[in-house]
Amino acid sequence: MESSSGTYKWALATQSINLRKFGRQYFDFYTLDDEGHFSSQMDLFNLDQTPLDSTISIGTFLDNINQNYEFSLPNFHENYFDSTTAFILGGSVFEKRTKTLKTNTYKIDYGLSNDFTFHLSIPIIQTQTVSFAFSDFEAREITGMDNFISYHESAKSSLDDFKNSIDFYTLSASERLKILDIYNRFYTEDGEQSILWALNGGKNPLENGIFLSEFNPTTQSDSVTIMDLLDYYYPDVTSAVGIGDMSMGVSFLIYGEAPWQKEGRAIYASASMLIPMGKRMEIYSTNKDAENRHKQFYQMTVGSGVTKYQLGLGWDYFLEGNTKMRCFGKLGLQISLSEKLPTPIRLFGMGHTHPDSNLISLGTEYKYKSGNAVLFSTGLETFHDAKKRMSTQIKYSHYYKGKDQFSSIDSYWNQWMQAHEDYDTKQMIGQVEMSLMFHNHRPRRQIGPIPFNVSLFFNFPLFVKHTWKGYSTGINFTTYIQYW
């Protein structure tokens, strides 16, 4: 049995935010007519081309009024957003994650013969908590928004004045109704194409506030800022306990003699399977807790959630002479299967601010395949007394994993989950483990009736890339049972 405890940190310096679906409310780069012209009726671009009725557009109607009556009413022909590229609305924020992990791992090695051994490892996660902290948010200001706001504040004021002027009543009843329709459509809260939300949000709506109700999942105020959204989606602490990924496999001696037979040299091959036994995240639903939070936001998985297969080659040998040293090592290749998992609905990587809308665009489940991995470890054990009861061990472990694969309805999310700025699912870890061991399993040197080994160990990283970095300590207790 092995018991370990560790604290880990992961800092994401520029976690990007791209609310691309909210950005389409400003300028919809993707909705085109048959001739390839921007034709969305729900953004702030080409407002003059908005149909006033079945026969005429707003811009054309106002041009006719100005020409026929020599007025100078705003005609909304001006555009202020760059029409050569997709509109990006977002920014970046510093994200810091902290994890605590306490695990008891129960291992069974059953020697069916001197050449063949069965292995079983079951980790029990006693404590697993992850906390999130966000700071240093930098918003991407909307280019052209200052001019847009200035124009429409002036246009609204001009139409306000015109409605109260004598000139307004020189128009026909039909024309007056159309003027009022234009004003109400753009400049009232309940207007069909109200732009007051854009004027209120200014050039930095993620800091000033998003005033569109369909983009406010909190429903606690008229507007929502980026920090409100982060607080909504990411609770201070999430936790989970239970069984982790169970490992089951066999090893074959292919050269030399088994280490428990003779202190010589041995090379062996191994094959194992990693089986996900831990609790998975639940499929997102609209159910909320007493604090009006969706339950999925508090959940986290135990283990990887996918089945993996591993093939390996290991070695173990004692150095000749009076050095009293043992060298050992292992090289393995790990391959993952593809699994369907519940889609985690969060803010990062998603184009909308509302969880229900993100669920529709991604789907309730996605397909996940962990990247193939190479595992390598080697070490040296030194015995400090003639009876080989005390030893120290130093081991270096190296882990490299390729990019994960994600498949959902949203191709942008798939790519974002795989890699984005300051984040990549391609991971690399190099760490050192130092152990102090007491051996009490050799029959002629054994103290007491029960054979056992005890070791205290300490892990620390040499380098870490794109994953958790931290330290862990623990104790390992091994006992031996033999049936004749």
Side-chain angles (χ1 to χ4, degrees), residues 410-480:
D410 190 334
S411 59
Y412 179 93
W413 183 81
N414 299 340
Q415 179 59 43
W416 189 92
M417 289 291 288
Q418 185 180 76
H420 54 269
E421 186 177 5
D422 277 348
Y423 176 87
D424 201 317
T425 53
K426 182 170 65 176
Q427 299 174 345
M428 189 180 299
I429 306 172
Q431 66 178 17
V432 173
E433 178 180 299
M434 303 180 69
S435 304
L436 175 63
M437 310 180 73
F438 175 73
H439 303 271
N440 189 49
H441 68 281
R442 294 177 175 84
R444 295 183 180 180
R445 303 166 184 171
Q446 181 178 311
I447 300 174
I450 301 176
F452 65 87
N453 290 338
V454 177
S455 67
L456 301 174
F457 61 86
F458 173 65
N459 280 310
F460 61 93
L462 288 183
F463 60 88
V464 173
K465 191 172 184 180
H466 300 306
T467 189
W468 297 96
K469 180 179 182 179
Y471 304 86
S472 64
T473 59
I475 184 171
N476 186 302
F477 177 82
T478 305
T479 188
Y480 301 85

Side-chain angles (χ1 to χ4, degrees), residues 10-16 91-97 133-138 420-423 466:
W10 191 353
L12 299 170
T14 52
Q15 184 73 300
S16 60
S92 63
V93 66
F94 182 88
E95 178 185 356
K96 184 178 180 181
R97 305 175 186 175
F134 300 98
S135 61
D136 300 332
F137 171 70
E138 293 185 4
H420 54 269
E421 186 177 5
D422 277 348
Y423 176 87
H466 300 306

Side-chain angles (χ1 to χ4, degrees), residues 197-212:
W197 61 270
L199 302 182
N200 292 333
K203 65 180 180 181
N204 194 343
L206 297 188
E207 285 190 351
N208 299 335
I210 299 173
F211 288 83
L212 275 174

Side-chain angles (χ1 to χ4, degrees), residues 18-30 80-82 85-90 140-143 145 205:
N18 182 2
L19 300 181
R20 57 195 183 280
K21 294 185 179 178
F22 179 48
R24 292 178 70 172
Q25 301 295 311
Y26 289 84
F27 171 47
D28 189 344
F29 186 79
Y30 301 97
Y80 297 99
F81 306 121
D82 181 9
T85 185
F87 191 92
I88 297 176
L89 180 63
R140 183 183 292 111
E141 293 186 348
I142 302 175
T143 303
M145 198 63 191

Side-chain angles (χ1 to χ4, degrees), residues 19 132 134 215 217-218 226-236 238 284 293-294 296-298 344-348 350 352-359:
L19 300 181
F132 300 88
F134 300 98
F215 286 88
T218 67
I226 188 64
M227 299 312 293
D228 295 330
L229 291 170
L230 291 173
D231 182 64
Y232 174 77
Y233 275 101
Y234 301 93
D236 292 337
T238 60
Y284 172 86
R293 287 184 181 273
H294 292 282
Q296 196 203 59
F297 298 169
Y298 285 96
I345 304 300
R346 298 292 187 265
L347 180 65
F348 293 125
M350 301 187 179
H352 209 288
T353 59
H354 202 287
D356 296 337
S357 298
N358 283 323
L359 181 70

